[in-house]
Amino acid sequence: MTDVVLRNAVLLDPATGGYRPETSLVVRAGVIVADDAAPAATDIDLRGAVVVPGLIDGHTHPVSGADLTRGVDLSPCTDLAGVRTELARARAALRPGEWLHGWGLDPNVFGDRPISADTVGPVLDGVPAVLRLFDAHSTLASHRALESAGVTGPRRFDEFAEVVCDPAGRPTGLLLEEPASMLVEEAAPKLTDSQFQARVAEVLRVMAAAGLTGGHMMEGDPAERAVLRALEERGELPLRLRLAPWCRPDSADVDALIAAQGSGGELWRVHGVKLFMDGTIDNGTAWLEKPDCHGESTHAYWPDPDRYSQIVTILDAAGVPTATHAIGDAAVRHVLSSLEKSRNIGHRIEHIETLPDDLVPLFAQLGVTASMQPTHCCEFTRADHTDNWSRRLGPERAARAWRCRDLFDAGANVILGSDWPIAPFPPLAVMAGARHRRPARDMSRPPHGPSQSLTPLQALQGMTINAGSGRLAVGDRADLTVLAEDPLLVADADLAELPVRLTVTGGRITHRAADL
C-alpha cells in the first residue's frame, strides 16, 4: 500500500519560485516516490491547493517553552494598566498556595520607570509570582516569591547574571539572565512528568496545525531528550526536530556534548551545540562595542571570551556544528573571528540584532549561517526608535536592525525562525514579518527598516531549503505543508492568515483541514 497520494496539487519549488510539472504527489515509507498505480492508504484531492516543502522553524524552544508559557499571556499588554488587569484576573483564579505565573511581559510597558515588583504594584503583594519577560532572558519576581526562594540580596554567578537590587541592597524583583532567574524558578512548584509531557505534546500539535513540519530546537539536555523520546514512543511527536544542547561557561563538558551527537529517534536527533556570547539589548546584557545609553551591555556572557573560542575550535575539530547566540555587534564580531579557521560544517550565529557593515560579507565568506528572527523586530521595536531596544542603542546602531536582506543579498545562508516562546511560532506569520516588518497587532504603523524586507521567495526559502528541506522531488523526505493559495502571490499583510490545509511529517498526516 502507498502511504499517501495527493491529487490535483500545485507543487511549488522554493528554489525557483516556479511550479513543478507534476499535479500529484505520492508518498511511500515517508519518502516522495515516482507516481505509480499502487492503491493508496490515504488518497486526498487537494482541489488546487499549493504544496510547499515542509516549513521549518529555524530557531525554537518547544520543550522549555511549554514550561515558560505556563500562566497568563502578557504579550498582548501594551501598558502597565493592561498588565495589572491580566494579573488581577489570573490571581483571582489561583487556588490556595498556588503560584502566579506569567510570560511575554514587554519591558516597553514600563516606559521610563524601573522594571520592578513595586512598579507593577499591589496586584503582586502577598502572592508568589514569577513573570517571564518577553525575551526569556529575565524574570520579574514578586517579593513573596523572592522570600520563598531565599533571595534576600545580591548574588555572585560564574557567568553573567544579576539579582538587581536597590541602593539599600534589597532585590527589586528583576532577575537578569537564566542563572539568576532559576533561583526563583526552582522554588516554584513543578508540573509532574506526565503533565509536562502532555503540555509539550499539545504545543507540538498546535505547531503542526500552523504548518510546521520541523524545527531547529535550540535546547536538548538529557531531560528534554527524555520528553521527546516518550512522545515519539506514543506516536505524539508531529515535528522533525534537530537539537542543539547548551554549552555553558560553568559546565562546559565538551566530551559529553560531542558524544551526544547523532543520538535520537526517528524524528529527533542531536545535531550541534548551542552557546551564548551575550544576553539581550533590552536587559543591558548584550555585548556591544560601545556601551548602550545606560552604560550597560559591555560584557560577554563568557567571563573569558577566549575560552569560548577554544571550545568552538574543539567542537569544529570533532565535526560538531555550533549555534551561537550573539545579539550585540561585539558578540557577533567575536564569534565570526572564532570561526575564521573553522570548517564549513554548518556553524551558525543566532539573532544578529545589530550588525556593522564590515561584518555583513563575512557570513558568506566563512560559510556561517545567519539565523534571524524578523518578528522580534516587528513586535518589539518601533520605526521611530522610541522603544526600549532602540533607545538603548541610539539611532546609528538601531538603524542596523535585523539586516536580513543585506545578509541575503551578500550571499549568506539566511534561515528564519520564531524563537518561540519569545515570539509567536506560526511560520506564515514569521514569513509575513520578514516581508512587511510591521507589528502584527497594528499593521497601520510604519515598517522598521523597510530596506531589510525580504522578497516573498526569499522568505519562503528562509523556512524551507535554507533550513534543510527538500524540493518536492522524488527521493525527498515527505515533509509537506499544503496551503490554500500560493504564498508568493498572497499580499504581505494577508499571508499570516493564509489557511493551512494539510501538514505531513515523514509521510504521516499531522494536521488536516476538516473539509479536506
Side-chain angles (χ1 to χ4, degrees):
M1 296 290 287
T2 298
D3 296 319
V4 179
V5 173
L6 304 179
R7 305 187 188 279
N8 295 317
V10 176
L11 307 184
L12 176 59
D13 181 356
T16 65
Y19 302 139
R20 298 183 62 89
E22 304 89 348
T23 59
S24 64
L25 192 149
V26 183
V27 175
R28 183 184 297 117
V31 176
I32 298 173
V33 299
D35 200 356
D36 58 30
T42 303
D43 193 315
I44 301 176
D45 183 353
L46 291 183
R47 303 192 292 276
V50 177
V51 184
V52 299
L55 299 177
I56 300 169
D57 191 325
H59 187 122
T60 185
H61 303 268
V63 178
S64 66
D67 183 56
L68 293 176
T69 54
R70 280 198 293 160
V72 59
D73 179 3
L74 300 173
S75 61
C77 301
T78 58
D79 54 35
L80 271 176
V83 170
R84 290 165 182 152
T85 297
E86 291 302 315
L87 291 176
R89 184 179 294 117
R91 178 173 180 169
L94 292 177
R95 296 185 295 271
E98 192 173 6
W99 284 47
L100 175 60
H101 289 269
W103 60 283
L105 179 60
D106 187 343
N108 286 299
V109 304
F110 291 88
D112 293 328
R113 287 169 286 188
I115 302 174
S116 69
D118 289 341
T119 303
V120 174
V123 69
L124 295 182
D125 288 352
V127 63
V130 178
L131 312 178
R132 276 282 187 174
L133 272 73
F134 81 93
D135 61 7
H137 279 253
S138 52
T139 299
L140 184 59
S142 69
H143 294 299
R144 176 62 63 86
L146 292 167
E147 177 184 321
S148 298
V151 179
T152 59
R155 297 285 185 93
R156 293 182 62 85
F157 300 95
D158 292 331
E159 53 206 85
F160 187 80
E162 182 182 359
V163 175
V164 177
C165 296
D166 64 20
R170 294 185 297 264
T172 66
L174 182 58
L175 306 169
L176 299 179
E177 297 301 327
E178 191 191 28
S181 296
M182 292 308 293
L183 295 174
V184 173
E185 295 273 4
E186 291 293 340
K190 302 292 186 295
L191 297 174
T192 66
D193 288 347
S194 60
Q195 288 172 330
F196 184 58
Q197 289 174 15
R199 176 141 178 76
V200 175
E202 177 59 22
V203 166
L204 292 169
R205 279 194 293 271
V206 179
M207 286 181 168
L212 284 171
T213 66
H216 296 175
M217 182 171 141
M218 292 294 138
E219 56 195 356
D221 67 22
E224 291 160 340
R225 288 176 241 163
V227 171
L228 298 180
R229 185 176 295 109
L231 295 183
E232 188 168 54
E233 288 174 353
R234 297 200 298 264
E236 297 180 358
L237 185 60
L239 267 65
R240 190 182 305 278
L241 297 171
R242 163 183 165 170
L243 280 59
W246 291 9
C247 179
R248 303 171 182 271
D250 62 344
S251 58
D253 189 347
V254 180
D255 290 340
L257 290 168
I258 293 172
Q261 301 300 308
S263 62
E266 181 181 349
L267 288 177
W268 65 277
R269 192 158 301 279
V270 176
H271 183 70
V273 167
K274 171 76 179 294
L275 305 99
F276 291 82
M277 201 66 249
D278 64 353
T280 69
I281 289 166
D282 278 295
N283 280 340
T285 57
W287 188 17
L288 299 173
E289 294 182 330
K290 296 180 181 178
D292 67 15
C293 70
H294 299 298
E296 297 177 339
S297 285
T298 58
H299 302 290
Y301 183 79
W302 285 66
D304 180 4
D306 289 340
R307 177 58 179 158
Y308 160 86
S309 303
Q310 294 167 2
I311 295 291
V312 168
T313 300
I314 293 170
L315 291 169
D316 178 73
V320 178
T322 59
T324 302
H325 168 121
I327 282 179
D329 46 15
V332 176
R333 188 179 300 278
H334 187 87
V335 176
L336 289 170
S337 175
S338 300
L339 293 172
E340 280 184 352
K341 297 180 181 179
S342 67
R343 296 181 292 167
N344 190 2
I345 59 173
H347 295 295
R348 306 156 48 131
I349 300 181
E350 312 295 315
H351 309 310
I352 318 165
E353 292 186 3
T354 179
L355 187 65
D357 290 344
D358 66 305
L359 297 185
V360 172
L362 294 184
F363 284 81
Q365 293 172 18
L366 298 176
V368 176
T369 289
S371 173
M372 310 290 287
Q373 296 74 45
T375 49
H376 293 197
C377 180
C378 300
E379 305 305 329
F380 306 127
T381 72
R382 300 170 187 155
D384 62 5
H385 294 169
T386 58
D387 59 281
N388 180 58
W389 184 93
S390 299
R391 292 199 315 270
R392 278 182 173 268
L393 287 179
E396 179 182 352
R397 289 182 294 191
R400 307 171 185 162
W402 287 271
R403 298 177 69 172
C404 300
R405 183 60 174 268
D406 286 344
L407 285 163
F408 225 113
D409 291 348
N413 183 54
V414 178
I415 63 175
L416 303 180
S418 67
D419 197 12
W420 187 82
I422 311 309
F425 57 70
L428 294 173
V430 174
M431 289 191 288
R435 289 162 54 169
H436 61 60
R437 297 189 52 115
R438 302 172 188 265
R441 70 183 73 177
D442 185 2
M443 289 290 290
S444 67
R445 295 174 65 175
H448 189 168
S451 67
Q452 297 305 318
S453 297
L454 296 183
T455 68
L457 181 57
Q458 287 172 332
L460 178 61
Q461 290 172 340
M463 300 200 81
T464 53
I465 55 174
N466 290 12
S469 79
R471 295 178 57 186
L472 305 179
V474 170
D476 285 349
R477 291 186 310 216
D479 294 352
L480 315 168
T481 303
V482 181
L483 305 171
E485 301 177 47
D486 184 341
L488 303 184
L489 302 179
V490 174
D492 297 348
D494 299 330
L495 181 61
E497 302 304 319
L498 180 63
V500 176
R501 305 287 287 150
L502 187 75
T503 311
V504 179
T505 302
R508 179 167 71 91
I509 294 173
T510 58
H511 165 72
R512 183 173 180 175
D515 64 338
L516 192 62

